[in-house]
Amino acid sequence: MTPDQNIDNAALNWVIRMQDPSFDGWEAFELWLEANPAHADSYQAMAIADQDIAVIAAAVPQPRPALVLQPVLQPAPRRRVPRAWFGGAIAASLAVVAGYAVLETRPAPYFVETPAGVARSLVLADGTKLDLNGGTRLRLDRRAPREAVLERGEVVFTVVHDDRRPFRVGVGSASLVDVGTIFNVSRSGSLTTVAVSEGAVVFNPDREAVHLPAGRSLRAVDGLGTIVLARTSTAAVGGWRSGRLVYDGAPLDDVAADLARNTGLAIVADPAVAGRPFRGVISLNNNHTALPAGLGLLLGVKVVRQGDGWRFAAETP
Amino acid sequence: METGGLEAIFLANRARLLRFLRAHGAGDAAEDLLQELWFKLSRVDTGPVAQPLAYLYRAANNLMLDRYRSVRQTERREQDWVEASDAPVSGLVVISPGETRLIAREQLLAVEAELQLLGDRTATIFRRHRLDGIPQRDIAAELGVSLSTVESDLRRAYRAMIELRGRFDEV
């Protein structure tokens, strides 16, 4: 073993030992550092590399409870809405529900909701176009026409840009601000994804202020402390509007959530396969009931019937 | 521990901590770094500290690692790609340590693949040790393997991960 390798081995041992919260070998460590200036260099380089990797490793999906998806029912279940805003009247699940403000100064929210498998488009007063995928619930506000809150589901925002009044989208604990933009936002459980096809958006302008230009996507889970950035084909953003779901390494639980939204079928991924990356294109046609059978081959999983829906499971060897 | 108690121990061990910073390569900056260390510590409400001296050493160690990192980051300009839309997505971007981290998906997939390559047992031992902070002895008991197995798995896993991090820079 060369002297350098000896130093590296020793440095690695220190990195590992110090990971123990009750590590108390500081004086021995100091003596080792003092023995040779090269020791500090080796240790620091390794410790930094270790810190970097730990940040990433913590974000790697591991066997865990399946992502909690809204059970996909048709029609979508009615939700309790504060009566003050709505005068008690909730229209059918598909409809745009109008809100009646009690006081002029209060927000005047209204909700747009689609059941799974049924997409909708609407245009706001400023010309901003919203394409809602199935299984979506979006909160809008008559008094704040440049704001939307995505509670769940998926929306492509084609924003008419106004420098003085940027369009703002709330999703989970995050917010997005447009910089002249077409972008797709999805929300299921605690997972938020954003993909930009034109212009740019800023994710969490008050905190991380991640600038996402066209062709970039972002994936964040509430409370995880990490944001995953990736490249994406601009043509693929919002591809669900034409029945094309394009993936370049998205985990299977994202794919399952997308399929559930788009088809109205209850589709979930087992924890064992939920984190597996998928690359490829899924074409949706109107015959959704035939879809799951063909998916198994494409995704490399076993598609098992579960209740009214389907479940992706590991292939049994 | 109240700041007062920690301060007494800090002052009593000033010379030792200075020596530790110098051993870490602090050189002429050691005095300034010690000031910085105390400035940081005095602003954190730590609650009770069981082993205050070990706590101070660890804080000094982290300070030196942060310093090393910032020197390297200045050299590498790792954040450039965030602004330049046509640059490849590579390089780990750390935005203010302790807060939200940005990760390139290529790197996430690479780490995942590396963990798979290590095998279930080694990957589990690594996760428990590095991410969950479980002492080696407890991991051995938990998985029903010997302590030497845990030790050698950890060496293999940490080394593989550190080498992987090195490869990210070559892209």
Side-chain angles (χ1 to χ4, degrees):
Chain A
M1 201 174 286
T2 69
D4 280 359
Q5 282 174 326
N6 272 328
I7 292 176
D8 278 0
N9 279 331
L12 183 70
N13 278 336
W14 287 117
V15 169
I16 296 173
R17 283 185 59 194
M18 278 184 211
Q19 201 48 48
D20 187 336
S22 63
F23 172 79
D24 63 355
W26 294 103
E27 284 168 42
F29 176 58
E30 182 178 287
L31 288 174
W32 178 76
L33 286 177
E34 284 173 345
N36 180 346
H39 289 179
D41 293 341
S42 176
Y43 166 76
Q44 288 170 356
M46 282 199 178
I48 288 292
D50 167 67
Q51 287 180 353
D52 289 350
I53 288 288
V55 168
I56 303 175
V60 169
Q62 56 178 318
R64 63 196 147 94
L67 190 69
V68 180
L69 298 173
Q70 291 290 334
V72 182
L73 303 169
Q74 240 166 336
R78 290 185 171 195
R79 284 165 171 267
R80 281 181 184 279
V81 180
R83 293 218 160 208
W85 309 139
F86 291 96
I90 301 173
S93 60
L94 244 177
V96 172
V97 183
Y100 302 98
V102 174
L103 293 170
E104 285 296 305
T105 51
R106 288 196 181 176
Y110 61 103
F111 291 86
V112 185
E113 198 161 347
T114 56
V118 182
R120 275 283 152 121
S121 293
L122 66 127
V123 177
L124 302 179
D126 63 5
T128 290
K129 185 173 171 233
L130 311 181
D131 295 310
L132 280 70
N133 202 341
T136 295
R137 182 173 160 90
L138 188 71
R139 178 190 152 121
L140 298 165
D141 193 325
R142 294 189 192 291
R143 295 214 200 295
R146 298 283 284 176
E147 282 179 28
V149 176
L150 179 62
E151 296 194 346
R152 62 181 155 83
E154 182 168 29
V155 177
V156 173
F157 294 87
T158 305
V159 174
V160 174
H161 184 66
D162 178 348
D163 270 338
R164 289 166 307 168
R165 297 167 66 223
F167 197 90
R168 192 174 278 267
V169 180
V171 53
S173 56
S175 68
L176 299 158
V177 174
D178 94 284
V179 192
T181 327
I182 302 177
F183 58 103
N184 185 84
V185 186
S186 80
R187 172 86 179 162
S188 68
S190 58
L191 169 69
T192 298
T193 67
V194 184
V196 182
S197 79
E198 233 184 84
V201 291
V202 179
F203 180 82
N204 272 346
D206 305 327
R207 283 182 276 156
E208 300 87 2
V210 181
H211 182 83
L212 268 194
R216 283 285 159 77
S217 69
L218 171 157
R219 191 173 189 281
V221 176
D222 294 354
L224 203 62
T226 49
I227 295 171
V228 177
L229 299 173
R231 286 205 275 186
T232 184
S233 141
T234 52
V237 175
W240 57 265
R241 289 175 295 175
S242 50
R244 275 167 60 85
L245 305 180
V246 184
Y247 298 99
D248 182 20
L252 284 186
D253 54 2
D254 287 15
V255 178
D258 287 348
L259 287 169
R261 249 196 310 271
N262 279 280
T263 63
L265 301 166
I267 299 177
V268 294
D270 268 358
V273 300
R276 276 194 205 166
F278 170 63
R279 289 188 173 78
V281 179
I282 300 173
S283 290
L284 300 172
N285 55 27
N286 292 326
N287 184 10
H288 292 150
T289 44
L291 178 75
L295 276 175
L297 208 58
L298 187 64
L299 301 176
V301 294
K302 202 163 65 174
V303 180
V304 190
R305 183 96 214 170
Q306 178 173 287
D308 288 340
W310 301 87
R311 183 166 59 83
F312 299 159
E315 298 261 25
T316 36
Chain B
M1 173 171 296
E2 286 174 26
T3 309
L6 196 61
E7 185 168 19
I9 289 160
F10 178 82
L11 291 173
N13 291 282
R14 211 175 167 282
R16 292 172 75 167
L17 292 168
L18 210 51
R19 181 179 156 193
F20 182 73
L21 293 176
R22 291 210 172 96
H24 245 299
D28 294 341
E31 287 278 358
D32 290 345
L33 286 165
L34 195 67
Q35 288 288 331
E36 187 183 336
L37 178 66
W38 179 249
F39 181 68
K40 283 185 171 169
L41 287 171
S42 61
R43 292 193 315 167
V44 183
D45 182 18
T46 55
V49 176
Q51 292 171 300
L53 187 57
Y55 174 82
L56 292 173
Y57 268 120
R58 191 176 286 279
N61 196 59
N62 289 342
L63 181 73
M64 292 308 290
L65 292 179
D66 289 349
R67 182 169 180 262
Y68 178 83
R69 179 190 293 283
S70 72
V71 168
R72 256 189 14 151
Q73 253 173 5
T74 316
E75 287 166 4
R76 290 171 190 273
R77 291 261 159 247
E78 284 183 327
Q79 296 202 9
D80 280 359
W81 68 270
V82 175
E83 281 84 36
S85 61
D86 48 353
V89 178
S90 72
L92 183 79
V93 180
V94 176
I95 290 186
S96 44
E99 291 178 17
T100 309
R101 319 298 181 98
L102 303 184
I103 299 170
R105 190 170 60 196
E106 285 93 332
Q107 298 185 352
L108 185 67
L109 296 176
V111 170
E112 185 171 19
E114 195 70 35
L115 285 168
Q116 268 172 16
L117 220 59
L118 287 168
D120 280 349
R121 186 192 70 200
T122 307
T124 302
I125 289 175
F126 175 74
R127 279 182 197 282
R128 293 298 277 157
H129 190 257
R130 184 60 183 90
L131 304 180
D132 304 336
I134 310 294
Q136 300 188 20
R137 197 168 297 280
D138 297 355
I139 298 173
E142 191 180 288
L143 298 182
V145 297
S146 70
L147 187 58
S148 65
T149 299
V150 172
E151 283 169 355
S152 70
D153 275 16
L154 285 177
R155 264 198 300 278
R156 198 162 69 85
Y158 274 82
R159 183 175 292 290
M161 290 297 158
I162 287 168
E163 284 173 3
L164 178 65
R165 176 67 184 94
R167 291 204 292 279
F168 290 162
D169 289 337
E170 289 161 16
V171 177

